[in-house]
Amino acid sequence: MSAETSVPRPRESGLDISDSDLFRGLMSEAPFAFAFFDSSGRFVRVNATFTEMTGHPIDRHLDRLPAELLPADLTAVIEAALRRVGEDGLPVTEQRIRTREENGDSRHWAVSFFPMRGAEDGEPGVALFGVDLTEQQMARELLQRSEERYRSLVESQQQLVWITSPSGAAVEDAPQWRAITGQGLEEYLAHGWLAAVHPDDRPGAEEAWREALRGRTMFEWSYRVRTRASGYRHFEVRAVPITRHGRVVEWVGANTDVTSQREAEEMRGRLTDQLGAAALRTARLQGATAMLAEALTVEQVVQVIIDVGRTALAADHSAVALLDPERGTLKLSNSGGLTDVTGDEIDLSHSNVMTMAVNSRRPVFAESPDSLRTQLVDAGGDETVVAEFLAHTDERAWVGLPLLAAGRALGALRFSFLRPQKISQEDGVFYEALAGQCALAVERATLFEREHRTAETLQRSLLPERLPDVNGLKLAKLFLSGSRHVQVGGDWYDGFVLQDGRVAAVVGDVMGKGVKAAAGMGRIRNAMRALALTNPPPAAVLTGLDRVFEATEEEEQVTTLAYMVVEPGTGEGTLALAGHPPPLLVSPQGTAILHDTEPGTPLGWATSRKQFRFCVPPGHTAVLYSDGLVENRRRGLDTGLRELASVVSEASQEVLNNPSMLLDFLVERMLGGYEQDDDVTVLAVHVPPATKSD
């Protein structure tokens, strides 16, 4: 193997292709791929466009065989073409090949091979010319898909598509039409299709068709068509002229079977009042569903149900009770002005509207006091107790609805009215649909609260209970979970002493909500501790975390953090960021500076990690924080960072000297006037001022 490291010169051949500046310029700027091979099949020259086909630089091709650096399929095409040109002396054209780029995209090429010979007795060679056909191929495939979709759409629709000549005569078969009408091909062609139109509709349809032909305007009509079974079906027809160079070349039309719609229209005329009432009920149900969809907690769901009872149902009293299956009781979420219940629990053995609904898994409708008395007594209620209740209540109609999820009772709803009510079958369907939506909302809210509690417990259990107590350094932390209406996220903090006596401080944020985010936070935090205790420099730790992240976390997961190592007493240290906001350095005089550090990329992104000098002089405090402190729905990140730096000037000297008080001050000022919609995590690293004893 030669020790020569310079780029090899192309092999000299009989063809004078290396001396012309014009040729070199043309080849370097040409939009087509070019390669020249000598008689042995080795590369002599290639241009930049050809390297896009192979993925290798120009100098790597020179004096090499295709098999030495190209994929097997591409090598096979080139070598076969070179053999044919060498044997026959004729060009090999339009060879189609496909290459794949590093990002996985495919490119399509058309390559041709031509025999070439230089001056007298020059060594023969072969020239390759390639044209990138990727865009044409994509356009061809797009057109093919479009045609296939159009064909599938036409075939899937219940429409009869037909084509006529410019004069309006049917010249092509319409199998769908003939399948319905039973006409033969000869019967259908020309104007024979009119014979299948109902006699009463035929004259008008024929005249309208002729008028459209004369005016070359869209034809829209409706008529009845005789079917093979001798019945008639209603069709709507629409046809448009296809013009070319100002002349109509054909007409394309489609007949749509609207028999069902016509029958529905006739029925609609008879059911106008009922449909109007149904529309009103539907609107009310949709409104209730929309309100329930926005309710996250059980308390919110109950409030929505009470509001729906008052507004959509015009109920005078509304109540919600949730089932405690272990105790066999209904727990009232609100009393709703009930007079037949003492306390906030109802035993299922006690007969009232809600217990009957839960026990029977069916709605209870009592349109009058007499109706309620009968149903309660039949359910085992004490006649004396029932009579006493009816004598002392001003309610005159009741609705009890079970809250069912997959057949399992969750509780019951109770609506009552001060006037007797006539509850129709349609009203009953509406009430059941409303109860179904309420049950789904209650179940969703119950699961949400359970997951919220689990995730919050998990998250807090993964955070350190206390920070290390180190001479010459004070650490303080503050963690606020997102509001109870938002799932717990993956914010975390940590602080620990390294083997050399320095202190590591970190704040991270695993994007996402719920148990999944909290669990991801635990994995990253534990991995970071292990890496820091082994090889503490921030750049090394982030590099190791990138490898851990790629191995354990999902590709779409985004995790950021700020990690610093500080020397107690002096405050000298280093810092590295992984897509995280910069730390804030607060002086004893109340000035604050956001550290000008390269933000880096989130964990798992391919990058070269860097670390920077970061000093916390005695008397100063460094503040690490999550984006929940500075960013929310009403305040962007840049605005929040500016506000964070400015509010420090309002802090008193006592606050500036106490890191815990400083964190309380910053959080209070930054969240004031905003609804907290994310976790807030803040960590302070304070280096006490030097004393004479020091």
Side-chain angles (χ1 to χ4, degrees):
M1 178 179 296
S2 173
E4 178 63 47
T5 59
S6 61
V7 177
R9 296 182 58 190
R11 298 181 61 188
E12 298 295 337
S13 68
L15 294 175
D16 188 10
I17 64 173
S18 60
D19 299 334
S20 171
D21 292 338
L22 177 61
F23 179 79
R24 286 195 301 269
L26 176 61
M27 289 301 99
S28 63
E29 301 297 331
F32 55 82
F34 170 78
F36 184 76
F37 302 87
D38 61 15
S39 58
S40 66
R42 296 180 178 274
F43 285 102
V44 176
R45 186 177 299 276
V46 299
N47 69 350
T49 304
F50 184 80
T51 65
E52 297 178 11
M53 182 188 303
T54 65
H56 299 294
I58 292 177
D59 57 353
R60 189 174 178 184
H61 294 76
L62 304 182
D63 205 27
R64 291 177 179 267
L65 293 171
E68 295 177 1
L69 73 161
L70 300 184
D73 53 351
L74 183 57
T75 298
V77 172
I78 294 177
E79 290 181 346
L82 294 178
R83 285 196 302 271
R84 288 178 55 188
V85 172
E87 294 172 358
D88 303 337
L90 298 175
V92 175
T93 60
E94 291 298 317
Q95 298 291 298
R96 298 300 178 97
I97 62 174
R98 184 175 69 175
T99 60
R100 187 175 298 277
E101 298 183 330
E102 292 184 359
N103 61 6
D105 292 343
S106 295
R107 296 182 67 176
H108 298 266
W109 302 81
V111 296
S112 299
F113 300 81
F114 299 92
M116 298 187 67
R117 187 177 297 276
E120 295 182 2
D121 299 328
E123 182 181 353
V126 178
L128 176 153
F129 294 88
V131 179
D132 189 345
L133 301 178
T134 304
E135 293 187 3
Q136 296 93 316
Q137 181 68 22
M138 293 176 62
R140 187 180 301 110
E141 293 176 355
L142 181 61
L143 177 60
Q144 181 180 355
R145 287 196 299 269
S146 178
E147 292 175 348
E148 292 172 350
R149 291 169 183 163
Y150 173 76
R151 189 180 306 110
S152 300
L153 179 62
V154 170
E155 292 176 353
S156 65
Q157 297 296 317
Q158 294 182 347
Q159 292 182 326
L160 311 179
V161 181
W162 47 268
I163 300 174
T164 74
S165 67
S167 64
V171 293
E172 294 186 16
D173 189 11
Q176 292 172 300
W177 172 277
R178 295 196 300 105
I180 290 177
T181 63
Q183 287 186 310
L185 179 59
E186 295 300 325
E187 294 178 282
Y188 164 75
L189 293 176
H191 300 284
W193 59 273
L194 279 167
V197 178
H198 192 286
D200 295 342
D201 300 339
R202 192 178 305 158
E206 187 174 8
E207 178 58 30
W209 178 228
R210 290 175 179 172
E211 183 65 26
L213 292 173
R214 287 193 294 267
R216 300 195 301 178
T217 59
M218 179 183 295
F219 173 62
E220 291 184 287
W221 205 253
S222 61
Y223 46 65
R224 288 165 289 177
V225 174
R226 184 189 68 245
T227 66
R228 183 188 297 270
S230 298
Y232 283 91
R233 298 190 67 82
H234 294 271
F235 281 86
E236 288 184 353
V237 58
R238 173 178 294 185
V240 294
I242 307 301
T243 60
R244 188 176 300 132
H245 306 301
R247 299 179 58 187
V248 176
V249 295
E250 64 182 8
W251 288 76
V252 177
N255 288 21
T256 304
D257 189 339
V258 294
T259 305
S260 300
Q261 293 91 313
R262 288 297 181 87
E263 293 175 350
E265 289 174 4
E266 295 174 0
M267 184 179 296
R268 190 177 300 118
R270 299 191 298 268
L271 302 176
T272 301
D273 293 339
Q274 292 134 331
L275 290 177
L280 180 59
R281 286 190 293 268
T282 300
R284 289 174 175 173
L285 182 61
Q286 289 176 340
T289 301
M291 295 170 63
L292 290 168
E294 296 179 359
L296 293 179
T297 66
V298 174
E299 180 182 349
Q300 288 179 317
V301 171
V302 170
Q303 186 57 52
V304 169
I305 294 174
I306 301 304
D307 293 341
V308 169
R310 182 182 64 255
T311 59
L313 307 182
D316 295 292
H317 299 128
S318 303
V320 181
L322 300 182
L323 177 64
D324 184 344
E326 295 183 357
R327 301 181 59 186
T329 60
L330 288 174
K331 175 75 171 179
L332 283 169
S333 297
N334 71 307
S335 64
L338 301 185
T339 58
D340 57 344
V341 176
T342 301
D344 59 357
E345 285 191 348
I346 309 172
D347 194 282
L348 291 179
S349 62
H350 174 73
S351 292
N352 70 5
V353 172
M354 287 193 287
T355 58
M356 282 195 298
V358 171
N359 290 330
S360 65
R361 303 292 199 274
R362 297 173 61 86
V364 176
F365 301 122
E367 300 176 337
S368 65
D370 290 339
S371 174
L372 180 63
R373 178 185 292 107
T374 300
Q375 294 186 60
L376 289 177
V377 172
D378 291 343
D382 185 280
E383 293 187 31
T384 302
V385 175
V386 173
E388 184 179 358
F389 161 68
L390 293 176
H392 291 85
T393 183
D394 56 356
E395 298 172 334
R396 289 296 176 263
W398 298 263
V399 173
L401 302 171
L403 295 175
L404 303 176
R408 180 172 57 90
L410 303 178
L413 308 180
R414 181 188 189 274
F415 302 108
S416 60
F417 308 85
L418 300 183
R419 295 176 302 278
Q421 300 287 313
K422 182 62 178 177
I423 302 175
S424 66
Q425 182 178 358
E426 290 77 14
D427 292 331
V429 172
F430 167 72
Y431 279 119
E432 290 191 64
L434 176 62
Q437 293 298 318
C438 292
L440 290 176
V442 168
E443 183 180 41
R444 183 180 65 248
T446 302
L447 292 175
F448 169 82
E449 291 182 347
R450 184 183 306 158
E451 180 182 357
H452 186 279
R453 289 192 297 270
T454 302
E456 186 173 11
T457 300
L458 174 60
Q459 184 178 22
R460 292 188 179 277
S461 69
L462 293 174
L463 297 175
E465 294 184 3
R466 62 179 61 88
L467 296 173
D469 186 9
V470 181
N471 290 330
L473 198 68
K474 291 183 179 180
L475 297 178
K477 46 81 177 176
L478 179 61
F479 172 76
L480 293 180
S481 176
S483 71
R484 60 191 178 93
H485 305 315
V486 180
Q487 294 187 33
V488 173
D491 277 20
W492 57 283
Y493 64 86
D494 203 357
F496 49 93
V497 180
L498 301 173
Q499 293 181 354
D500 58 4
R502 292 182 299 166
V503 175
V506 60
V507 167
D509 187 0
V510 178
M511 304 303 178
K513 303 294 181 184
V515 175
K516 184 176 181 180
M521 174 265 286
R523 290 192 295 270
I524 297 301
R525 174 179 172 268
N526 291 336
M528 200 224 68
R529 271 210 172 204
L531 291 168
L533 292 173
T534 304
N535 189 13
V541 170
L542 293 193
T543 300
L545 283 177
D546 283 334
R547 293 193 295 269
V548 172
F549 194 91
E550 292 176 356
T552 62
E553 305 304 309
E554 297 181 1
E555 184 175 352
E556 65 273 11
Q557 178 64 60
V558 178
T559 298
T560 68
L561 62 82
Y563 170 57
M564 61 184 295
V565 176
V566 183
E567 180 76 31
T570 66
E572 290 291 335
T574 52
L575 167 74
L577 300 179
H580 206 79
L584 182 74
L585 186 62
V586 180
S587 74
Q589 294 76 33
T591 59
I593 301 175
L594 289 168
H595 194 266
D596 186 15
T597 303
E598 183 177 326
T601 58
L603 294 182
W605 293 34
T607 183
S608 177
R609 296 298 180 183
K610 298 179 181 179
Q611 64 185 33
F612 304 88
R613 179 180 179 270
F614 184 76
C615 180
V616 185
H620 288 63
T621 304
V623 180
L624 305 179
Y625 52 91
S626 64
D627 59 0
L629 178 67
V630 294
E631 186 178 25
N632 54 46
R633 297 173 185 173
R634 295 168 47 198
R635 179 175 61 196
L637 179 60
D638 292 340
T639 302
L641 292 175
R642 289 193 297 269
E643 290 185 16
L644 178 64
S646 65
V647 298
V648 174
S649 62
E650 303 172 8
S652 65
Q653 193 64 44
E654 181 185 9
V655 170
L656 294 172
N657 294 333
N658 188 312
S660 296
M661 295 177 62
L662 177 62
L663 296 188
D664 291 335
F665 174 83
L666 291 177
V667 171
E668 179 182 357
R669 291 302 180 91
M670 292 302 294
L671 298 187
Y674 297 99
E675 179 182 358
Q676 182 185 349
D677 54 12
D678 196 3
D679 291 348
V680 175
T681 305
V682 196
L683 182 66
V685 179
H686 176 72
V687 178
T691 62
K692 293 182 179 181
S693 60
D694 294 337

